[in-house]
Amino acid sequence: EEITAELKQHKDDFDSKINQATALSEAEAIRVEYLGKKGPINKVMGYMRLLSNEDKPKLGAVVNEIKTELENVVKSRKEELEILEIEEQMKEETVDVTLPGIVHEADIGRRHPLSKVTERALDIFTGLGYDTVTDCADSPEIESDYYCFEALNCPKDHPARDMQDTFYLTPDLGKMLRTHTSAVQIRQLEKRKPPLRIVAPGRVYRKDDLDATHSFNFHQIEILAIEERGKLNLGHLKGTVEYFLKEMFGPDVNVRFRGSYFPFTEPSMEVDVFFRGKWLEVLGCGMVDPNVLTLAGIDPEKYSGFAAGFGVERFAMVIHQITDIRDFCNSDKRFLEQFPHFYDEGIPSMLRGEKPATTAVAEVEKKEEKPKKKKKKAGPAAATEIDISKLDIRVGVITKAWLHEEADKLFCEEIDIGEEGGPRKIASGLRAHYNVEDLEGQRVLVLANLKSRKLVGFPSHGMVLCAASEDGSKVEFIEPPADAKLGERVMCDGFDGEPATENQIIKKKMLDAIFPDFNTNSEGVATYKGVTLSTSAGPCVAQNKMADSPVG
């Protein structure tokens, strides 16, 4: 009875204080004071050990009843205070709509830098005889898997899809937000008979993390030219691209072509310009792959042509020296005022090295700005090395394995690498080398910082590392020591950098730079540039000590 009386006294004190609270922060502080771990309500529970077994349930019931009452009271009071705060804010921010507007005659707005770059590019290509394709029916942003990938020589299990993961809109992955404007080319090839020349601008989407150089949505422009076979060749493609780049960056810009790979062109090239003192990659191009023409119903024996594409944001950032892609969509008036009304008033002057006119806002800020002390300039930052430290390799164990229903070369596996979210699902092409019953309990190394991708419909997030013979006839797991901790990161002495993000691994083609130096030695130990791959328990070794073999 004494304890019950004490609880009721605490409740009366609580009710008095909560009714006097005038702000949400005060109400929260009172809640913590009485219902927190060190509050009087929880303190009373300590009396349980002094009571008989018969009285303990009685005390528990009283405590729970009062605790529930207090929680309901504080919740109700918080809702009341939140409404009061909103009403006060509305009173403070009330605008007299009868007052006359303030007009800045000189402030007439600006064309967005992306609009200017798009318009300039379209002007160049339409001047060369290309038709602009922008209608929703011909250039939909919601696209099917067929037009976005399969018709572009990119089947469901093609690795090129890894770099273009997107936002799917249906459970069967049949509808998505398009990853490139190349889908417009297929629609036009099906709709129109060659010869044809089109330029297709549009918004595209990819599942990228937002940072200074990546966005989940951006803009592309693609061109496509198809003529009777023999009338267009690689020389025509290079001439078209050079003419376009000189119109965009100035007549004196240097252009270089590098061999590359795209699933829808063959041969393929990437193009760089030497601009403001350095080489910059600006677009990709190539001769249209015959398979793409065939899928679109065009006879590749009669027709051929070329295609090219580039990102509008990339061009705008290079031309206007913009360092953060997020500035394009922040709607910051000061940012937009840096650019002239129309594209042809600003780009040529910038190419001539002339500084843009100072805006009124900049002048005001300059006057208000206090003189700053000069700081010593720091030396140039060291270039980041691409080495095995960029890979996040973890110790794991296969907890479950089964056969992929649609791919006869793939296993589906659940692999525990010590993550709170549970085992990862990973697909591996090991059916020619292992039986499914041999996999469960197998300790492995998992490359964990790869983006999740779908392999024939199975979401695979990571890669199991194996040693393989040169001809691929023999494959062995790289095994961690038996005492290695689950989830432990595997390292190489002397390569101690932080792992890259999933986006960086794909975008910067790090695997191509790292894997050539990743091999087993004469004793079957996994090494990078001759340095042993180790855990805290010791080195990692091929399952049957396969020697002098590449690891991947």
Side-chain angles (χ1 to χ4, degrees):
E1 292 179 359
E2 292 179 4
I3 298 173
T4 302
E6 182 181 341
L7 280 170
K8 290 182 178 179
Q9 181 59 48
H10 287 313
K11 180 181 182 302
D12 292 340
D13 294 343
F14 174 87
D15 290 340
S16 176
K17 287 185 178 181
I18 200 70
N19 288 329
Q20 294 175 18
T22 58
L24 284 171
S25 56
E26 292 180 21
E28 176 63 16
I30 295 168
R31 184 194 70 80
V32 172
E33 179 184 350
Y34 282 86
L35 296 172
K37 290 183 178 180
K38 297 182 180 179
I41 305 302
N42 278 335
K43 188 177 179 181
V44 167
M45 295 299 290
Y47 296 146
M48 282 282 193
R49 57 188 176 82
L50 304 176
L51 300 177
S52 65
N53 291 335
E54 295 178 357
D55 292 334
K56 285 180 180 180
K58 298 177 182 177
L59 176 60
V62 173
V63 171
N64 287 335
E65 180 183 351
I66 291 179
K67 192 173 183 179
T68 301
E69 287 182 25
L70 298 189
E71 286 174 346
N72 291 335
V73 169
V74 77
K75 181 181 178 181
S76 176
R77 185 56 180 164
K78 278 186 173 183
E79 290 174 352
E80 293 173 3
L81 292 173
E82 188 173 3
I83 292 172
L84 290 173
E85 287 188 4
I86 292 172
E87 290 175 348
E88 286 297 320
Q89 186 178 3
M90 291 174 66
K91 289 178 183 178
E92 293 175 3
E93 297 177 356
T94 299
V95 176
D96 186 352
V97 296
T98 64
L99 290 174
I102 300 173
V103 179
H104 297 286
E105 292 183 0
D107 189 10
I108 59 175
R110 299 289 187 274
R111 297 289 286 147
H112 195 282
L114 297 182
S115 298
K116 293 183 294 183
V117 172
T118 299
E119 290 165 0
R120 184 169 182 83
L122 294 182
D123 281 354
I124 294 169
F125 283 113
T126 53
L128 293 174
Y130 286 74
D131 299 327
T132 305
V133 181
T134 56
D135 291 345
C136 291
D138 295 325
S139 180
E141 292 184 17
I142 295 178
E143 195 53 277
S144 69
D145 182 87
Y146 175 79
Y147 285 110
C148 202
F149 292 119
E150 291 191 32
L152 289 162
N153 207 29
C154 210
K156 293 186 183 298
D157 57 347
H158 200 289
R161 289 198 181 196
D162 294 357
M163 295 180 284
Q164 298 186 18
D165 201 5
T166 187
F167 300 92
Y168 292 93
L169 305 178
T170 56
D172 64 355
L173 311 183
K175 291 288 185 180
M176 66 196 71
L177 297 179
R178 66 181 178 188
T179 65
H180 46 202
T181 49
S182 302
V184 178
Q185 299 178 13
I186 303 301
R187 290 182 175 273
Q188 288 296 295
L189 287 172
E190 290 180 347
K191 184 177 181 180
R192 301 168 59 177
K193 297 294 183 183
L196 62 84
R197 298 188 184 199
I198 62 167
V199 54
R203 188 191 304 269
V204 298
Y205 305 82
R206 293 185 189 174
K207 192 181 174 185
D208 280 345
D209 297 325
L210 189 62
D211 59 26
T213 56
H214 298 92
S215 177
F216 56 85
N217 78 80
F218 51 100
H219 299 79
Q220 280 187 343
I221 296 178
E222 301 253 353
I223 66 166
L224 173 68
I226 302 293
E227 297 275 359
E228 290 182 9
R229 191 171 181 83
K231 289 187 176 182
L232 291 177
N233 57 41
L234 202 61
H236 296 111
L237 169 59
K238 293 179 69 176
T240 301
V241 169
E242 284 191 22
Y243 174 81
F244 166 68
L245 293 176
K246 288 181 184 293
E247 287 291 304
M248 288 295 293
F249 293 96
D252 299 324
V253 71
N254 290 322
V255 180
R256 73 179 181 188
F257 294 81
R258 295 180 287 107
S260 185
Y261 168 77
F262 303 109
F264 31 81
T265 54
E266 179 61 35
S268 304
M269 297 181 292
E270 288 181 322
V271 186
D272 308 327
V273 295
F274 193 77
F275 191 66
R276 302 190 191 276
K278 57 183 178 181
W279 287 103
L280 301 168
E281 179 184 328
V282 290
L283 63 80
C285 61
M287 304 302 292
V288 178
D289 193 298
N291 288 341
V292 174
L293 294 175
T294 302
L295 289 168
I298 305 295
D299 186 356
E301 296 298 321
K302 292 183 178 180
Y303 297 98
S304 64
F306 58 75
F310 62 92
V312 177
E313 280 82 354
R314 175 67 169 162
F315 269 59
M317 292 175 78
V318 170
I319 291 170
H320 296 298
Q321 294 185 294
I322 297 167
T323 57
D324 196 324
I325 196 171
R326 292 168 289 196
D327 288 337
F328 291 124
C329 52
N330 283 344
S331 298
D332 189 327
K333 185 182 174 193
R334 296 169 301 174
F335 170 78
L336 297 174
E337 282 182 336
Q338 298 177 55
F339 309 102
H341 298 282
F342 300 102
Y343 70 88
D344 54 357
E345 293 178 20
I347 291 180
S349 63
M350 289 186 181
L351 297 176
R352 291 193 296 269
E354 299 170 9
K355 294 183 178 179
T358 307
T359 65
V361 174
E363 287 290 349
V364 172
E365 289 183 349
K366 189 175 181 181
K367 289 178 182 178
E368 294 177 351
E369 192 178 43
K370 295 180 180 179
K372 296 180 181 179
K373 293 182 180 179
K374 291 185 177 179
K375 295 182 179 180
K376 292 183 179 180
K377 291 184 178 180
T384 304
E385 293 289 338
I386 294 180
D387 56 47
I388 198 167
S389 66
K390 296 298 179 186
L391 305 185
D392 189 13
I393 302 174
R394 300 284 174 170
V395 174
V397 61
I398 300 175
T399 57
K400 185 179 179 181
W402 64 98
L403 303 179
H404 195 297
E405 294 181 357
E406 299 180 22
D408 57 5
K409 295 182 180 179
L410 296 180
F411 283 130
C412 299
E413 301 146 7
E414 288 186 359
I415 303 180
D416 187 356
I417 58 171
E419 292 178 320
E420 291 184 1
R424 287 199 183 191
K425 291 184 177 180
I426 297 177
S428 58
L430 299 173
R431 281 173 70 168
H433 309 282
Y434 288 92
N435 295 319
V436 67
E437 55 269 17
D438 298 331
L439 298 184
E440 292 188 15
Q442 173 68 48
R443 291 172 65 83
V444 294
L445 299 187
V446 174
L447 179 52
N449 56 338
L450 288 182
K451 291 186 74 171
S452 180
R453 57 175 178 155
K454 291 192 178 294
L455 292 178
V456 198
F458 181 78
S460 180
H461 192 188
M463 182 173 78
V464 178
L465 295 180
C466 296
S469 58
E470 292 291 345
D471 61 1
S473 61
K474 187 178 180 183
V475 173
E476 293 182 2
F477 288 116
I478 300 295
E479 294 183 320
D483 296 333
K485 298 178 181 177
L486 202 64
E488 177 182 354
R489 189 181 176 201
V490 183
M491 302 290 289
C492 274
D493 287 342
F495 302 97
D496 304 320
E498 289 296 316
T501 65
E502 293 181 350
N503 273 328
Q504 289 172 334
I505 288 285
I506 295 296
K507 297 287 184 184
K508 297 187 177 181
K509 302 178 181 178
M510 291 183 177
L511 299 184
D512 294 340
I514 296 169
F515 276 152
D517 296 310
F518 200 2
N519 303 282
T520 59
N521 63 15
S522 58
E523 298 177 352
V525 176
T527 65
Y528 174 74
K529 292 187 175 181
V531 181
T532 300
L533 198 69
S534 299
T535 68
S536 58
C540 301
V541 184
Q543 191 174 27
N544 294 309
K545 298 186 177 179
M546 182 189 291
D548 303 318
S549 300
V551 175

